Every structure is written in C-alpha cells, then in structure tokens.
Amino acid sequence: MYSGIFSAEALAEALECIKTEIPFAIWETFYVTIAATALAIIIGLPLGVLLVAGEKNGVAPLPSWVMTVLNVVINLLRSVPFLILMIMALPLSRLVVGTTVGTKATIVPLVVAAFPYIARLVESSIREIDPNIIEAAQSMGATPFQIIAKVMIPESVPSLINNGTIALTTILGYNAMAGILGGGGLGKIAINYGYYRYQYTTMYVAVILIVIMVIIFQTIGTKATIKCDKRLK
Amino acid sequence: MIKIEHLSKNFKVGNMDIEALNDINLEINDGDIYGIIGMSGAGKSTLVRCINMLERPTDGRIEVNGLDMGNLSDKELRAARRDITMIFQAFNLLKQRNCLKNVCFPMELDGVPKAEAEKKAKELLEIVGLPEKAKSYPAQLSGGQQQRIAIARALATNPKVLLCDEATSALDPKTTHQILKLLKEINQKMGITIVIITHQMSVVQEACNRVAILDGGRVVEEGNVSEVFSNPKSDAAKRLVMPDGERYQKWLGASSERRLRVVFQNVQNIEKPLVASMAVEAGVIATVLSADIQKLVGDKAGTMLLGVSDEQFDSAMKYLKTYEGITVKEVEDFV
Ligand SMILES: Nc1ncnc2c1ncn2[C@@H]1O[C@H](COP(=O)(O)OP(=O)(O)OP(=O)(O)O)[C@@H](O)[C@H]1O
Ligand SMILES: [Mg+2]
C-alpha cells in the first residue's frame, strides 16, 4: 500500500487536493478546535474551580451531594470513548445547531467530550496553589468569591495556560476523528482520501498538516506559559 | 486589648483527639509586643490562628478590641480581620503579582479605589524600606525583602493588631534582626499591638516586652520578658532560657548595674542560698540576671550572672570571694 506514494500520479492528485480542498479544511479544523475549546473552557473552568472550592474544607463548601453528582457526571463523560460519546451527542447537535452533519454539528459533541476533561485539568491547576496563600487571603478578610477570582484563578494562570494547551491539542485530535462521522476539516480529508479512495499521499498531507497544527499550538502555549509565570524570573 | 479566656482547641484526627490548646488565659495590652514562645508542637500556631478565627476554638472566648471573635457573623469577621492582620513564616505573597499589587491586595478586597490604593501602597513600601521593588515580583526578592513586603501588605488596612507566626524563622540572624527592628518601629510609630510567635528566645528578647511560654498546649509562664528570662520558674521556661547561656546576658542587665559572673564547681544548692545569704550576711541586694546550671556526672556546675549596684559592688566582691566552691569575676562586656 505504501508503494507509489511518490509516484507522479499520486503527487498530482495530492497537489490537486492541496489547491482545492486543503486550505478550507485547515480553516475548518482551526476554527472548530478553537471554538470547541473556548466553549468547553466556559463550561469546564467554573466546574474545575468548584471541584476544589466546593470541597468540605474548600473556600466555598457545597453540599456533599452536589459534589458527588458533579464528580460522577464528570467521571462518566470522561470514561466514554470519544467516538461513542460523539454518536451519543449527535441528537444534542440537532437540538443546538439544527443538524447532525457538517462542521458546526461536530462542535457540540466536541464540547461535551472536552468540558469534563477541562474541568479536571482546571482542578489540578488550582490544586497546585499553596494553601498557605489562600489562608493568607482569608486572614485579610477576603470573601470566598474574592479568593476564587483574585487568588485561585490568577495564581494558577501559568498552569491553566499549560493545561489549556494540552486540552487544545487533544481537542484537535478529537476533531480529526470527527471526520469519520461527517465532520469537516483535515480529519475528513485524511479519511476520505486515505480510507475510501486509497490516495495515501493526500492522506499523509492532511496528517502532516494536523501534526504541524499541534506543534504550532503547543509551541505557542508553552511560550505563553513561561512568559506569564512570574515565579520564574 | 486581646483577651483570651479558657481557650481550648482539640483536633480530631481519625478517632484520636489531639489536645492542641488547654485552658489558655492571656491578656495582651494595646501597644504590647507580646511574645508567645514554645517548642515545636506546643500549640503556638494554633493559638495565634484562634485569635483571628482561622482556627475555631473548641472552647473558650477570644475578645479583640471589645469584639467577641467567636460570635461574629462571616461578614463581621471579615471586617474584624482587616484590623487584625497577619504575617507568616513563608511570607505567602501572591506570586503572580508584583510587590506593589501585593500591597494593594487587601485594599482591593476592601474596595479602595485603585489610585488611592497604589498611593498608600507606595507609602508603605517606603516605610518598609523597599520603594524600588514596587514593580518586582516576589520570586525576585530575598526572604527578608519578601517579609518586608508582607509587612507592608499587613499594614495596608491600618490594623490595630499584627500577628506574626514564625515570621523570622526562615531568615538568617542578621535579617531577623532587621525585621524585628522594623516591627519595633511599627509598634512605636503606629501604636500597633504585635503578637510574635516564635521558637527562638533571641527573638523574644530582642523585640518583646511581655512573653508567654507555651508547653504542651498550656501557658506555663507569663510576664515581663526580663522577669521571665532572668528568673524562669517552669521547666519549659528553663529549657528555653538556659541552653544558649550568656548570649542574652548583655541584654538582661540594667545599665546602671555592674555585673558579676559567678562560676560554680561541685556545689549542691546553688541559686537561692547564695543570693539570699549574701543579702542577709553582707546586706548586698543582687539580681539574678541569668543562670545556667548543668549536671556533670553527679556534680552540678554552671554559671550565674548577678547584677549589683555600684555602691554595693565592693562588698559583694568581698563576700563572694570567701564563699566556698565558687569563683567570681566582674564582667564588663560580653562579646
Ligand atoms: N489541622 C490540624 N489537625 C490535627 N492536628 C493539628 C492540626 N494543627 C495542629 N495540630 C496539632 O496541634 C498541636 C499544636 O500544633 P501547632 O502547629 O500549633 O504547634 P506549634 O507550636 O506552632 O509548632 P511549630 O513550632 O512546629 O510550628 C500539634 O500536636 C499538632 O500536631
Ligand atoms: Mg507553628
């Protein structure tokens, strides 16, 4: 199957695809990943904060049944394999964006899959904060909300950015998988050309582009993490 | 004024009940620099954390400036905490904020407008001697500098009481001295009552006017620093006062007195008979400034530092020279 990857015919096919479909696919992958990550952060960040702040000894203790429900839901969603979760979430797509196919429709299952993951990442970032610093804020008369907004989140920004980058690249990978179920972007091209049409050269082009996007996201994320961490200077 | 009445605190760990504080009664007056000293695990941190209710007492009452701390609503407690601020062994500065913003933090919590807060923060940085560090981050500062920033932060809400939990324990002796000097200045200039928790005698001696000695969750001795130190009564106080010997003696003597060092060899009863009999037989009143007695294979040996007035100095020397088992020498300087 690998012979002929560099044959003139294969290269011509790939070139054709690069000219026609790839630019738009890159854009689709890019915006779906960013949009899904952003929405998942909007849901996952507060939940992650609650996982720490709402604990029995946290700054804003919640009833224990609330914490149990929260943990069970997050664990359930985290344990279902992405492709299956996506199939399960398709009815939700219809509800939210009115369709189950196409690029927009994949954002919904991506968010459903990603927000519990992000909640856990946020939880781990917030747990890294020295509890003495939180206690110092309490000793100064900070309200629970002030502690969350002015201590917990700002103090964990570098770790949040670092974990956000991990989430972003993971969602990019999910997004590529979504190509199987009718999502657009580079994942769809890789599957259509490589799996259905045996045009491996085109498939490799798509895969390499996905890898390059991951590398770019990761590099930017790592740089941003280091740049904003005032502990390192 | 801080009044601590019958304060007890138990911690439940599994089904074990740890008694961290047991029936503590203390009064700390306005303007005091009050030392609370004890060995590790004595309950010092627990005690100081009860004062601002970071730790809820199991029993007893704490009154700060007339407020019954245990009976405040959450909101009232937060307001009270602006008047009772705290500094810590680990400084606990916000690492992602620069120093100016750290000092602004308590004012920000209080809703003070930004410009006003920054102005005040700059003044406070002047007071603690670090105006040039406004834009630096805590990680760029030495421990002593971080503690100064923490002090500035603790002063931002114009507190009446400053609690210091092992605030100098992470610092070298010279830096400790500088921080204590700063605390004394703050106490004098701003009239802030300071409570200093420490396990170091030298800290109490240098900075405090009153001291309580905590041992096993109880106050075993309490009083003016010079009294407690020159005449420790409890075992815990003796353990704390004696081991470091003469390091403190210079500090202890009143300046008008002359000092005599008495060294014992093979003597059974040391302190009382000597000082008392000198008073009775020679009419010399001497103060015991410090005493350091060790048991060496059955025999007791040690030194005692006496202070006597100039007029009585000669009679004291004469009397002591005839006393059996001791040698005596005037001490002019301890370095
Ligand atoms: N949160 C807690 N849970 C259980 N036990 C505790 C807790 N805090 C303190 N203790 C116990 O209470 C006792 C007093 O502790 P505390 O921290 O007040 O001592 P300390 O005098 O400050 O000691 P150190 O000089 O080591 O700081 C110790 O036996 C300690 O183990
Ligand atoms: Mg302690």
Side-chain angles (χ1 to χ4, degrees), chain B residues 69-140:
Chain B
M69 296 299 287
N71 273 334
L72 300 177
S73 68
D74 285 355
K75 197 165 168 237
E76 289 167 327
L77 179 60
R78 285 196 292 267
R81 282 177 178 169
R82 311 238 146 101
D83 277 345
I84 311 166
T85 55
M86 198 167 184
I87 57 173
F88 307 85
Q89 178 168 2
F91 325 123
N92 298 349
L93 296 172
L94 295 163
K95 311 250 180 326
Q96 306 294 346
R97 281 182 176 232
N98 66 31
C99 294
L100 188 75
K101 290 266 154 57
N102 260 289
V103 179
C104 286
F105 182 69
M107 295 184 270
E108 207 176 301
L109 298 179
D110 218 0
V112 176
K114 195 168 170 240
E116 197 183 313
E118 291 196 350
K119 185 166 165 278
K120 170 116 200 219
K122 283 184 186 142
E123 288 167 18
L124 289 166
L125 288 179
E126 292 281 348
I127 290 175
V128 300
L130 290 175
E132 75 283 3
K133 297 292 184 194
K135 292 277 180 289
S136 304
Y137 288 88
Q140 300 166 311

Side-chain angles (χ1 to χ4, degrees), chain A residues 34-224:
Chain A
I34 299 285
T37 308
L39 291 171
I41 287 175
I42 289 172
I43 305 171
L45 179 74
L47 290 181
V49 171
L50 275 191
L51 283 172
V52 184
E55 280 185 326
K56 198 156 102 268
N57 297 318
V59 296
L62 290 173
S64 65
W65 67 266
V66 175
M67 295 307 288
T68 310
V69 169
L70 195 58
N71 272 298
V72 167
V73 169
I74 288 173
N75 288 341
L76 274 180
L77 288 174
R78 292 265 296 121
S79 52
V80 181
F82 173 68
L83 271 183
I84 296 166
L85 190 68
M86 186 152 171
I87 294 166
M88 286 162 56
L90 283 177
L92 193 64
S93 290
R94 174 164 295 136
L95 215 68
V96 179
V97 291
T99 172
T100 62
V101 286
T103 311
K104 264 196 220 140
T106 56
I107 292 182
V108 175
L110 278 174
V111 171
V112 172
F115 87 79
Y117 180 51
I118 288 183
R120 286 289 180 222
L121 290 173
V122 169
E123 179 190 10
S124 83
S125 288
I126 303 245
R127 280 195 203 284
E128 286 167 27
I129 300 174
D130 180 356
N132 289 319
I133 288 183
I134 291 169
E135 195 179 82
Q138 283 173 325
S139 82
M140 290 178 240
T143 63
F145 182 77
Q146 284 175 325
I147 291 174
I148 291 170
K150 290 181 185 288
V151 180
M152 286 180 151
I153 295 177
E155 283 293 296
S156 51
V157 159
S159 171
L160 286 170
I161 292 179
N162 192 31
N163 278 335
T165 308
I166 294 173
L168 192 69
T169 51
T170 306
I171 292 168
L172 185 74
Y174 285 172
N175 187 4
M177 272 193 260
I180 295 174
L181 292 166
L186 292 168
K188 182 175 123 192
I189 289 183
I191 286 160
N192 280 354
Y193 284 81
Y195 190 70
Y196 298 119
R197 293 194 217 162
Y198 309 109
Q199 294 184 10
Y200 296 114
T201 310
T202 312
M203 181 185 79
Y204 281 117
V205 169
V207 169
I208 288 165
L209 286 170
I210 291 173
V211 171
I212 290 173
M213 282 179 87
V214 169
I215 292 172
I216 291 173
F217 282 145
Q218 187 61 56
T219 309
I220 294 173
T222 306
K223 286 231 164 80

Side-chain angles (χ1 to χ4, degrees), chain B residues 85-292:
Chain B
T85 55
M86 198 167 184
I87 57 173
F88 307 85
Q89 178 168 2
F91 325 123
N92 298 349
L93 296 172
L94 295 163
K95 311 250 180 326
Q96 306 294 346
R97 281 182 176 232
N98 66 31
C99 294
L100 188 75
K101 290 266 154 57
N102 260 289
V103 179
C104 286
F105 182 69
M107 295 184 270
E108 207 176 301
L109 298 179
D110 218 0
V112 176
K114 195 168 170 240
E116 197 183 313
E118 291 196 350
K119 185 166 165 278
K120 170 116 200 219
K122 283 184 186 142
E123 288 167 18
L124 289 166
L125 288 179
E126 292 281 348
I127 290 175
V128 300
L130 290 175
E132 75 283 3
K133 297 292 184 194
K135 292 277 180 289
S136 304
Y137 288 88
Q140 300 166 311
L141 269 55
S142 71
Q145 290 171 331
Q146 289 191 52
Q147 195 61 289
R148 282 170 188 275
I149 302 296
I151 291 171
R153 180 175 70 172
L155 296 177
T157 49
N158 300 316
K160 300 192 179 62
V161 178
L162 175 61
L163 307 173
C164 313
D165 188 1
E166 303 269 10
T168 57
S169 298
L171 307 174
D172 63 52
K174 191 166 161 238
T175 315
T176 296
H177 170 72
Q178 290 165 348
I179 294 289
L180 293 176
K181 206 172 126 214
L182 176 63
L183 289 176
K184 283 195 280 188
E185 275 168 26
I186 287 165
N187 169 261
Q188 272 151 27
K189 290 193 187 139
M190 307 184 184
I192 296 174
T193 307
I194 299 182
V195 180
I196 293 182
I197 301 293
T198 182
H199 61 268
Q200 292 168 296
M201 283 318 265
S202 52
V203 168
V204 173
Q205 288 179 330
E206 184 172 347
C208 303
N209 63 324
R210 289 183 73 79
V211 63
I213 294 171
L214 213 57
D215 190 34
R218 290 172 182 274
V219 173
V220 291
E221 208 162 325
E222 203 264 340
N224 286 330
V225 170
S226 48
E227 276 165 31
V228 172
F229 276 47
S230 54
N231 187 15
K233 296 185 188 72
S234 60
D235 286 346
K238 284 180 188 155
R239 251 183 286 135
L240 284 163
V241 173
M242 304 304 182
D244 278 306
E246 289 190 352
R247 195 138 68 76
Y248 313 116
Q249 294 168 355
K250 180 180 183 181
W251 173 83
L252 281 167
S255 48
S256 61
E257 285 179 330
R258 292 173 79 171
R259 282 157 295 189
L260 287 169
R261 190 202 276 127
V262 180
V263 181
F264 301 89
Q265 296 116 8
N266 316 330
V267 183
Q268 291 308 303
N269 293 316
I270 306 163
E271 294 156 63
K272 277 185 189 161
L274 183 132
V275 177
S277 51
M278 182 161 72
V280 174
E281 293 167 37
V284 173
I285 308 297
T287 39
V288 180
L289 297 175
S290 87
D292 181 4

